[in-house]
Every structure is written in C-alpha cells, then in structure tokens.
Amino acid sequence: MRFASLGSGSRGNATLVQAGSTTLLIDCGFGLADTRRRLGRLGLELSDLTAILLTHEHGDHVAGVGPVARAGGMPVWATPGTLAALAPQVGELPHVRTINCHAPWEIGDLSITPFPVPHDGRESCQYLLSDGARRFAAVTDLGHTTAHMAALLGGCEGLLFECNHDRDLLLGGPYPPSLKRRVDGYLGHLSNAAAAAFIGGLDCRRLQHFVAAHLSEQNNRPELAQAAMAGALGCGADWIAVADQDLGIDWCELA
Ligand SMILES: [Zn+2]
Ligand SMILES: [Zn+2]
C-alpha cells in the first residue's frame, strides 16, 4: 500500500492511495491537464484511477472533478450533502455513488472508513483507508479535532494531516477579520498547534510516514509545521514531510 499527494493547499488538493490493482484519488482540485501532468510525475495516467472520493464541495477539492471524471469515466463517491452542494460549473458526473459518512465500504483492494469532520462544507468527511494489513488516513479541512477521530486514527501506518496555519501569523497577518475568524473558527482549519495537540495524544507507534498538508502559503511556513509536529511525535523535524502546493509529495510506501 502506498500514498502520494498531487499537491496540497488552498489552490488545489488531491491525494492518491494505491493497493493491489486499486488506485483511488481523494479530491480533485486541479484541472484536467494539470491532473494528468501531476499523475504523470507519479508514473500514472488517468486510466489508472479506479475511482474518485470527494471530501467536500470547496473549490480547492473539486475544481477539476467534472472534467477529470468525464474524461476518465471513473465513478465519483461523496456524501449526499457534498453532491447537493457541488457548484453548477462542476457539471454532469458520469457515475455518481452516494456514501453514508458513518458506514465503511470497499472499492477493489481497499476498504474505506469515512468519518465526519467539523468544517464549513455541507456534509464534510475525511477518509481512513486500509488494504487489510496497513492503514492510512488523509485528514484536512477541519476546524477542530473530535473524539471520534481520536478513536479511529490511532495505530495508522501513514497520516497526511492538516497543518493549515500558525495562529500568530494568521491573527497578525493581512487577512480581513472575517476571513481570520473563518479560518480560526470552529468550522475552519487546523492550526499547527491544534494538529500537534491531537497527534501528540494519538497512538503513533506504527507510524511510518507523516505528511503535513494544506499549509497556508500566507499564514504558515513549512519549518513551523515541521517543528510543531516533530515536537508532538518526538522525532527530528526533517522526518516530517510537507505536501507542497505545486509538487505535492512523492509516493510514500507503507511496509
Ligand atoms: Zn481545502
Ligand atoms: Zn474546505
């Protein structure tokens, strides 16, 4: 089992998870040509994608899902709320599958456990995936962590986890007050400190890869996220990978 990021941040997000003959794309925040180019960097083509899972309807997660799903013909899985809230410009999706964000299901060689997260999407969820032996979770776009997440995510081999902002940079920065309140709020995004507090309390003894994701270009710096997470995990800062907006992150193998 392995995972990678095509890119992460407020200008687009997409995460790949692969096991056996199954390759899933979580979110599709890049246009068709850009998605093809980013897949190519990881040795994949559009036809390699088994399905697309959506976490919520915000543009940085769905901007490319219409053209990509129409070109690739793969099914798109999402909650009823996310599907209802998709912008009209997403257009027709050829194969839509509705999920219950409290009910696990399987696609090919991967079992998928969705879980709701507090965010200002209509019915946001994030995903824990397993090939039966290893577990990986991609967790971004949440205003705060939950007890349900803590119960679910302990013991993962791989985590891609939101470190959106440094709270001092956000509150002292140039965003208008309303946007600061949104990002910092109950349904906004996780700060480095909030992510570190959650990860510090999680069973991470099996963790092989930790990737900090959805970093704000304005209100965060990779070294701040790395320092916060290294403190939480008791590791060196250079062990903490950071998913880049343009370059994403290369394949991380889970042994
Ligand atoms: Zn986002
Ligand atoms: Zn969002």
Side-chain angles (χ1 to χ4, degrees):
M1 183 172 179
R2 59 181 186 166
F3 70 95
S5 167
L6 299 191
S8 182
S10 58
R11 290 187 286 112
N13 295 274
T15 305
L16 281 167
V17 189
Q18 193 173 57
S21 59
T22 304
T23 305
L24 302 181
L25 186 66
I26 302 175
D27 289 330
C28 190
F30 305 104
L32 178 58
D34 199 12
T35 298
R36 280 201 164 109
R37 188 176 58 83
R38 289 167 188 259
L39 284 171
R41 215 157 49 198
L42 294 159
L44 295 183
E45 298 175 12
L46 216 53
S47 58
D48 294 314
L49 299 180
T50 311
I52 299 173
L53 315 181
L54 299 181
T55 61
H56 65 303
E57 70 274 19
H58 289 161
D60 55 321
H61 299 262
V62 305
V65 72
V68 167
R70 286 189 287 278
M74 69 289 278
V76 177
W77 298 74
T79 62
T82 295
L83 291 168
L86 285 175
Q89 53 267 35
V90 168
E92 196 72 21
L93 299 172
H95 306 287
V96 173
R97 306 275 188 271
T98 303
I99 63 163
N100 171 349
C101 71
H102 302 280
W105 85 101
E106 291 182 3
I107 301 177
D109 296 306
L110 283 164
S111 64
I112 303 148
T113 304
F115 54 95
V117 290
H119 188 56
D120 49 8
R122 175 100 46 108
E123 193 182 4
S124 295
C125 69
Q126 297 289 325
Y127 298 105
L128 168 68
L129 303 101
S130 176
D131 67 349
R134 291 143 293 206
R135 304 197 310 153
F136 163 73
V139 188
T140 68
D141 297 74
L142 63 168
H144 60 100
T145 58
T146 66
H148 180 51
M149 283 174 56
L152 205 58
L153 298 182
C156 280
E157 279 81 5
L159 281 173
L160 179 141
F161 205 85
E162 176 162 65
C163 296
N164 180 260
H165 57 275
D166 174 273
R167 201 154 179 267
D168 292 336
L169 287 182
L170 171 70
L171 298 180
Y175 276 18
S178 60
L179 187 52
K180 287 183 185 178
R181 277 196 300 274
R182 186 216 154 220
V183 172
D184 186 45
Y186 198 71
L187 300 176
H189 289 276
L190 273 195
S191 68
N192 294 339
F198 177 80
I199 295 297
L202 201 67
D203 174 6
C204 289
R205 284 172 294 184
R206 299 168 69 95
L207 195 61
Q208 298 171 19
H209 291 281
F210 183 94
V211 178
H214 216 304
L215 270 70
S216 166
E217 290 174 305
Q218 185 75 251
N219 303 310
N220 208 353
R221 291 198 293 274
E223 58 271 24
L224 294 177
Q226 286 173 303
M229 300 319 301
L233 287 166
C235 64
D238 56 355
W239 191 78
I240 306 295
V242 177
D244 185 77
Q245 178 70 81
D246 295 318
L247 298 174
I249 195 110
D250 201 357
W251 289 111
C252 298
E253 302 275 350
L254 302 176

